[in-house]
Amino acid sequence: MDFKKLEKQYKSELLDNVLPFWLKNSQDKEYGGYFSCLDRDGTVFDTDKFIWLQGREVWMFSMLYNNVEKRQDWLDCAVQGGEFLKKYGHDGNYNWYFSLDREGNPLIEPYNIFSYTFATMAFGQLNKATGNEEYAEIARKTFDIILSKVDNPKGKWNKAYPGTRNLKNFALPMILCNLALEIEHLLPEAFLNKVMDDCIHEVMEVFLRPELGGLIVENVTVNGELSDTFDGRLMNPGHAIEAMWFIMDLGHRLNRPELINKAVETTLKMIDYGWDKEYGGIFYYMDRLGRPPQQLEWDQKLWWVHIETLIALIKGYYLTGNQECAEWFESIHNYTWQHFKDNEYPEWYGYLNRQGDVLLSLKGGKWKGCFHIPRGLYQIYKTISENQNDL
């Protein structure tokens, strides 16, 4: 593949298509914050505001301002979203709600740990962009709360009956791998190193299972054992693959090539496991024993799974030279651009059926916002631009 041409393709898609869509359509100029529920052409179809998506958009425009170009409209977009979050997003003690109405009144209590993680990411990058120490303090305080919740992320909103089936989930240690590097400028070095070591251990030695041929499961018991239950059998290939590029970044940061190699190996195993050999694309959910999954949407093809896989493959290729990464990148690139890109309106579709047809025409909703597509386009073009050798 001509990766110089691909670098230009991904960069142009980010700067000329996807970012202008969010900049134009998502900002609430009256009440602040962002609309995430945008139809195919950018029309707002619901005005509720979801904290984790608000945080993701603050992070996105702050990060791009810090790393790509000092554009005032990007900074203004990030700051107004950050100010909305600071004022309305939490209960006064940095317990971050799940959702608000348009005006900023809370709708759903702070049960979701990802409201906290993306608030931390948002204010960490916003601090970098502005130098505002108040933003740094919000990020630090929220990060401390996250770490205090590791053993029971939902706290009093946990629906599980205590003591019967205590499982721990992959998502939090996975996101902490990325979050630690995101806010390393705000953390003492010894503390940062401990967080990174703990994350790597959880992801690569607890959830990655040698007895399953090196695949990653979504839930294990608190003792680190497999559970033959719906949740214990659950596999989410996209989640595992996304985590692997976080691990590659940590391996690069810590100069641990063996960690990078293991992450690349795991990426390739998860793709091979999750690839739909009949219709193409990567399954959303699977059952590790091949039993019927609990999730009825198990066979859908989702935007974030495929763009995150492309990030992992391009990083894997350039970090190790593994040709299998290059071959898979080409296949998944072709599938992704053919099925998810909307050739008539900006931004990408999020949800396809198993056959690859568009299931929902929305460009943003309760779960899809200004995050995976622009972050992926940025990560891919940046990785190529920093590595001049062509495939």
Side-chain angles (χ1 to χ4, degrees):
M1 293 184 76
D2 181 353
F3 265 50
K4 273 296 179 192
K5 183 178 174 184
L6 285 173
E7 177 192 346
K8 187 176 178 182
Q9 179 181 352
Y10 280 85
K11 186 173 185 178
S12 172
E13 185 70 11
L14 173 67
L15 299 179
D16 303 330
N17 177 0
V18 172
L19 285 181
F21 174 88
W22 291 102
L23 209 55
K24 175 186 174 186
N25 298 307
S26 72
Q27 294 190 81
D28 185 345
K29 298 294 177 67
E30 187 174 353
Y31 291 101
Y34 314 107
F35 302 117
S36 64
C37 298
L38 303 177
D39 216 334
R40 185 184 178 195
D41 62 357
T43 304
V44 177
F45 67 86
D46 194 282
T47 60
D48 286 354
K49 293 170 180 173
F50 306 95
I51 296 300
W52 70 319
L53 295 181
Q54 301 288 307
R56 283 174 161 191
E57 191 155 348
V58 171
W59 174 85
M60 180 59 62
F61 281 100
S62 303
M63 184 277 291
L64 293 171
Y65 176 85
N66 291 331
N67 296 323
V68 176
E69 186 181 346
K70 297 285 191 258
R71 282 184 49 169
Q72 191 62 42
D73 56 347
W74 290 356
L75 183 60
D76 291 345
C77 178
V79 168
Q80 71 85 3
E83 287 297 313
F84 179 83
L85 270 180
K86 183 180 81 173
K87 187 173 183 181
Y88 299 110
H90 58 91
D91 65 356
N93 294 309
Y94 302 112
N95 294 302
W96 297 86
Y97 299 116
F98 178 74
S99 61
L100 315 171
D101 67 11
R102 182 182 179 186
E103 292 80 10
N105 301 301
L107 290 173
I108 296 180
E109 297 276 17
Y111 80 94
N112 192 304
I113 195 68
F114 300 108
S115 296
Y116 295 73
T117 59
F118 289 105
T120 304
M121 281 176 64
F123 286 103
Q125 280 291 337
L126 203 52
N127 163 256
K128 272 189 184 177
T130 63
N132 185 329
E133 185 55 32
E134 184 185 13
Y135 296 151
E137 196 58 24
I138 294 171
R140 286 191 200 97
K141 286 179 176 175
T142 303
F143 190 63
D144 285 344
I145 295 171
I146 293 168
L147 295 180
S148 76
K149 286 173 165 282
V150 164
D151 292 332
N152 184 14
K154 291 185 180 179
K156 64 183 178 181
W157 292 284
N158 191 341
K159 293 185 289 186
Y161 187 86
T164 305
R165 183 183 294 157
N166 291 335
L167 299 177
K168 58 181 180 177
N169 182 264
F170 179 65
L172 186 54
M174 164 207 166
I175 204 75
L176 286 174
C177 288
N178 183 237
L179 188 55
L181 288 181
E182 275 292 325
I183 62 165
E184 69 171 301
H185 65 291
L186 302 178
L187 301 176
E189 187 176 357
F191 179 66
L192 173 68
N193 288 336
K194 182 181 187 313
V195 171
M196 290 191 293
D197 287 345
D198 290 348
C199 295
I200 292 167
H201 168 74
E202 284 287 302
V203 169
M204 303 303 282
E205 296 178 43
V206 177
F207 289 93
L208 192 155
R209 311 300 299 195
E211 69 269 43
L212 300 180
L215 299 178
I216 289 175
V217 295
E218 280 291 290
N219 298 286
V220 295
T221 70
V222 289
N223 298 323
E225 297 170 355
L226 293 174
S227 170
D228 189 5
T229 58
F230 272 125
D231 290 333
R233 293 191 302 270
L234 183 64
M235 309 284 283
N236 184 328
H239 236 180
I241 294 164
E242 181 182 1
M244 288 306 99
W245 76 256
F246 297 167
I247 294 290
M248 291 179 210
D249 281 357
L250 283 170
H252 183 66
R253 161 76 171 70
L254 298 169
N255 193 26
R256 291 181 55 185
E258 83 290 348
L259 189 60
I260 295 171
N261 287 330
K262 190 171 182 182
V264 170
E265 178 187 330
T266 305
T267 297
L268 294 169
K269 286 178 178 177
M270 291 303 306
I271 295 171
D272 189 58
Y273 177 78
W275 185 255
D276 183 345
K277 294 168 179 62
E278 187 172 355
Y279 294 104
I282 298 169
F283 286 119
Y284 187 13
Y285 290 115
M286 302 176 77
D287 183 289
R288 66 178 170 82
L289 296 180
R291 294 173 180 159
Q294 182 176 211
Q295 291 76 11
L296 302 182
E297 69 273 27
W298 69 274
D299 64 348
Q300 289 178 18
K301 311 294 165 61
L302 268 66
W303 81 106
W304 69 266
V305 171
H306 293 76
I307 196 81
E308 296 296 336
T309 300
L310 288 170
I311 300 171
L313 288 167
I314 199 70
K315 285 179 181 280
Y317 172 72
Y318 280 119
L319 286 167
T320 68
N322 188 309
Q323 284 298 323
E324 204 177 341
C325 288
E327 291 159 13
W328 266 118
F329 184 93
E330 183 169 13
S331 297
I332 296 172
H333 163 88
N334 291 337
Y335 179 91
T336 300
W337 284 79
Q338 179 183 342
H339 292 278
F340 288 102
K341 180 170 166 57
D342 183 347
N343 291 313
E344 189 175 348
Y345 293 100
E347 245 286 350
W348 292 17
Y349 299 119
Y351 302 87
L352 313 176
N353 64 17
R354 182 179 178 185
Q355 290 73 26
D357 304 316
V358 176
L359 197 58
L360 295 168
S361 63
L362 60 79
K363 297 299 175 57
K366 185 177 180 179
W367 309 109
K368 183 179 188 289
C370 179
F371 187 65
H372 285 285
I373 295 296
R375 181 178 74 166
L377 296 169
Y378 165 76
Q379 284 285 344
I380 292 162
Y381 97 71
K382 180 170 172 276
T383 300
I384 298 170
S385 72
E386 290 175 350
N387 297 273
Q388 295 306 311
N389 52 315
D390 218 11
L391 293 193

